[in-house]
């Protein structure tokens, strides 16, 4: 007996990383094999949201945050290890954002370039430690993590 065919998520032009797209529903992301999260994992604090280190998904908006892998690069060549100066040159409209910089990439999305909170790593303070692609409107408090 053969297994039934696996559902395929619709491919479209939404911003994202690989097959994971902003706005994609949890069901689409699961069907594409991009997450193992379930609505059963929603926290009492954010009952309409689920998240892990890679993605935050809300029932209202779908995927709201994608944390890029350490070896990923933006289309402008910015990645983990790039300096904030390089990010600001690549994204001239970037503005300060918490422990880094934020750069709008579309009307409905921005990159968050995050640095280190650890003063012991002061030598790396000007280096990007993490990059997130975030939807312009988020319902999940976990989307900013």
């Amino acid at each position: 007996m053969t297994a039934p065919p696996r559902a395929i998520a619709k491919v479209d032009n939404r911003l994202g990383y690989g097959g994971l797209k902003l706005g994609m529903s949890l069901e689409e992301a699961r069907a594409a094999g991009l997450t193992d999260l379930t609505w059963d994992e929603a926290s009492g604090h954010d009952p309409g949201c689920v998240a892990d280190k890679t993605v935050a998904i809300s029932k209202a908006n779908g995927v709201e945050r994608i944390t890029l892998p350490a070896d990923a690069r933006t289309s402008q060549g910015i990645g983990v290890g790039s300096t904030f100066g390089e990010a600001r040159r690549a994204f001239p409209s970037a503005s300060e954002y918490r422990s880094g910089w934020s750069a709008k990439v579309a009307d409905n999305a921005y990159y968050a370039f995050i640095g280190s909170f650890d003063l012991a790593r002061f030598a790396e303070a000007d280096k990007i430690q993490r990059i997130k692609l975030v939807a312009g409107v988020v319902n999940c408090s976990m989307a900013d993590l």
Side-chain angles (χ1 to χ4, degrees):
M1 185 168 158
T2 60
R6 192 167 148 185
I8 307 275
K10 179 181 151 190
V11 176
D12 57 33
N13 62 354
R14 292 179 282 190
L15 291 174
Y17 179 78
L20 196 55
K21 307 294 183 190
L22 293 177
M24 180 180 270
S25 71
L26 176 62
E27 292 73 22
E28 285 178 298
R30 286 182 55 81
L34 302 170
T35 187
D36 293 327
L37 291 170
T38 67
W39 289 123
D40 294 337
E41 297 170 88
S43 72
H45 177 69
D46 250 339
C49 299
V50 291
D52 58 20
K53 291 180 179 180
T54 303
V55 65
I57 305 173
S58 81
K59 286 184 179 179
N61 299 326
V63 172
E64 293 183 347
R65 184 242 321 140
I66 301 168
T67 302
L68 278 58
D71 61 348
R73 296 263 182 234
T74 69
S75 58
Q76 292 80 1
I78 304 301
V80 169
S82 296
T83 67
F84 288 113
E86 291 168 331
R88 288 190 308 268
R89 284 188 294 281
F91 297 93
S93 63
S95 59
E96 287 189 66
Y97 170 85
R98 296 185 183 180
S99 65
W101 290 82
S102 170
K104 188 174 179 178
V105 291
D107 286 340
N108 62 347
Y110 66 93
Y111 282 122
F113 300 106
I114 309 299
S116 176
F117 292 105
D118 185 356
L119 293 178
R121 297 175 70 178
F122 185 74
E124 298 176 19
D126 189 44
K127 303 246 182 190
I128 295 170
Q129 304 292 315
R130 223 172 352 146
I131 300 174
K132 300 180 293 184
L133 179 61
V134 184
V137 175
V138 296
N139 285 338
C140 297
S141 61
M142 298 172 285
D144 281 337
L145 297 178

